[in-house]
C-alpha cells in the first residue's frame, strides 16, 4: 500500500506539463554572446531556424525570462512581438506551408537571472558559466526550453582577450581584435536539448 502511494506521489510530482509546440521544430540555434568585465549583463543576438510541421502557423512562442528584447526579425524583416512573464511571442508575417522554414532573430540584453552565472572561481578569477539544467536556458537565451526539441547550435562569444571560451562541439575560430576582445566560435553539429547548450 505504501509503495502504491509513493508511486502515485512521484508520478504527480514528475508530471511533465510543458505545452508542446507540435507545429514547430527548432532546427538550429546561432547564439552571439557579448560578455564584458564591467558588469554581469550580456548583450546577445540569437537566430533560430524553425521548420513547420503544419501549415498556417501565425506565431512562435519562445521561452525567455527577464531579458530586455530590443528587436525581433523574421527572415530579415522586423516583426511584432509580445512579452508575458517568461515567454516571448513572435507574430509571423509570412505564410508558411508544412515543411517550410523561417529564421527568427532576437536581439536582447540584460543580466541573466538564472542559467548563466558570473562569479569568482576558487582562485578568485572572474568567470562566466552556464548551468541550464533542467530548464534554465531560457533565462539567458530565447528557446524552446524543453528536452523534446533538440537542435544543433553555434556559439559566437565575444569576450575580453584574456578569457578562454569553452562550449559544445568543435572549436572553429579564435580571433583576437585590436580593442582587447576575442571572438570564439564553437559549433555543435549533433542535435542536443537546450539544457546541454552551455558556454563558459
Amino acid at each position: 500500500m505504501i509503495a502504491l502511494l509513493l508511486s502515485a506521489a512521484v508520478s504527480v510530482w514528475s508530471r511533465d506539463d510543458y505545452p508542446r509546440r507540435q507545429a514547430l521544430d527548432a532546427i538550429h540555434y546561432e547564439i552571439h554572446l557579448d560578455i564584458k568585465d564591467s558588469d554581469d549583463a550580456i548583450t546577445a543576438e540569437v537566430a533560430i531556424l524553425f521548420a513547420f510541421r503544419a501549415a498556417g502557423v501565425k506565431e512562435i512562442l519562445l521561452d525567455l525570462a527577464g531579458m530586455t528584447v530590443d528587436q525581433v526579425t523574421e527572415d530579415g524583416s522586423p516583426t511584432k512581438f509580445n512579452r508575458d512573464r517568461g515567454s516571448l511571442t513572435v507574430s509571423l508575417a509570412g505564410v508558411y506551408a508544412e515543411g517550410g522554414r523561417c529564421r527568427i532573430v532576437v536581439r536582447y540584453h540584460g543580466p541573466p537571472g538564472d542559467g548563466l552565472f558570473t562569479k569568482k572561481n576558487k582562485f578568485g578569477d572572474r568567470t562566466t558559466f552556464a548551468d541550464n539544467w533542467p530548464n534554465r536556458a531560457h533565462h539567458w537565451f530565447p528557446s524552446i526550453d524543453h528536452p523534446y526539441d533538440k537542435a544543433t547550435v553555434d556559439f559566437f562569444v565575444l569576450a575580453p582577450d584574456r578569457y578562454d571560451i569553452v562550449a559544445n562541439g568543435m572549436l572553429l575560430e579564435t580571433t583576437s581584435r585590436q580593442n582587447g576582445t576575442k571572438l570564439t566560435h564553437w559549433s555543435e553539429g549533433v542535435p542536443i536539448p537546450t539544457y546541454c547548450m552551455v558556454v563558459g
Side-chain angles (χ1 to χ4, degrees), residues 2-194:
I2 293 174
L4 287 173
L5 289 173
L6 287 174
S7 176
V10 168
S11 177
V12 169
W13 178 79
S14 63
R15 182 183 299 131
D16 180 5
D17 58 358
Y18 185 88
R20 304 295 202 272
R21 281 72 154 174
Q22 301 291 355
L24 289 170
D25 184 13
I27 301 295
H28 182 74
Y29 290 85
E30 186 178 297
I31 300 172
H32 295 258
L33 190 62
D34 189 351
I35 298 173
K36 297 179 176 63
D37 261 338
S38 55
D39 58 39
D40 296 348
I42 60 171
T43 303
E45 176 181 299
V46 173
I48 311 172
L49 179 64
F50 284 100
F52 294 95
R53 293 177 170 171
V57 176
K58 299 297 183 185
E59 62 183 26
I60 293 175
L61 178 63
L62 295 172
D63 302 309
L64 182 63
M67 308 301 284
T68 299
V69 176
D70 302 306
Q71 186 184 46
V72 179
T73 62
E74 172 192 350
D75 290 332
S77 298
T79 191
K80 295 179 180 178
F81 62 90
N82 288 310
R83 298 297 307 277
D84 182 15
R85 297 181 185 176
S87 65
L88 169 68
T89 303
V90 179
S91 299
L92 297 176
V95 177
Y96 299 96
E98 182 178 354
R101 294 188 174 193
C102 82
R103 187 172 186 263
I104 299 297
V105 178
V106 182
R107 295 181 181 90
Y108 60 98
H109 69 276
D114 201 348
L116 187 69
F117 305 95
T118 298
K119 57 180 71 175
K120 289 186 177 181
N121 63 15
K122 67 178 182 178
F123 304 106
D125 298 321
R126 179 181 170 89
T127 62
T128 298
F129 207 89
D131 181 3
N132 298 337
W133 177 262
N135 62 342
R136 295 185 291 164
H138 70 280
H139 289 278
W140 65 278
F141 72 91
S143 58
I144 295 181
D145 195 11
H146 190 281
Y148 86 89
D149 197 344
K150 298 176 178 65
T152 54
V153 59
D154 277 85
F155 286 99
F156 296 85
V157 183
L158 187 64
D161 192 73
R162 65 185 180 83
Y163 282 55
D164 291 321
I165 306 299
V166 294
N168 301 94
M170 182 180 295
L171 177 61
L172 298 184
E173 176 189 3
T174 301
T175 304
S176 293
R177 300 186 170 188
Q178 292 182 347
N179 64 357
T181 63
K182 179 170 61 181
L183 178 66
T184 306
H185 176 194
W186 286 83
S187 183
E188 176 55 80
V190 176
I192 57 176
T194 50

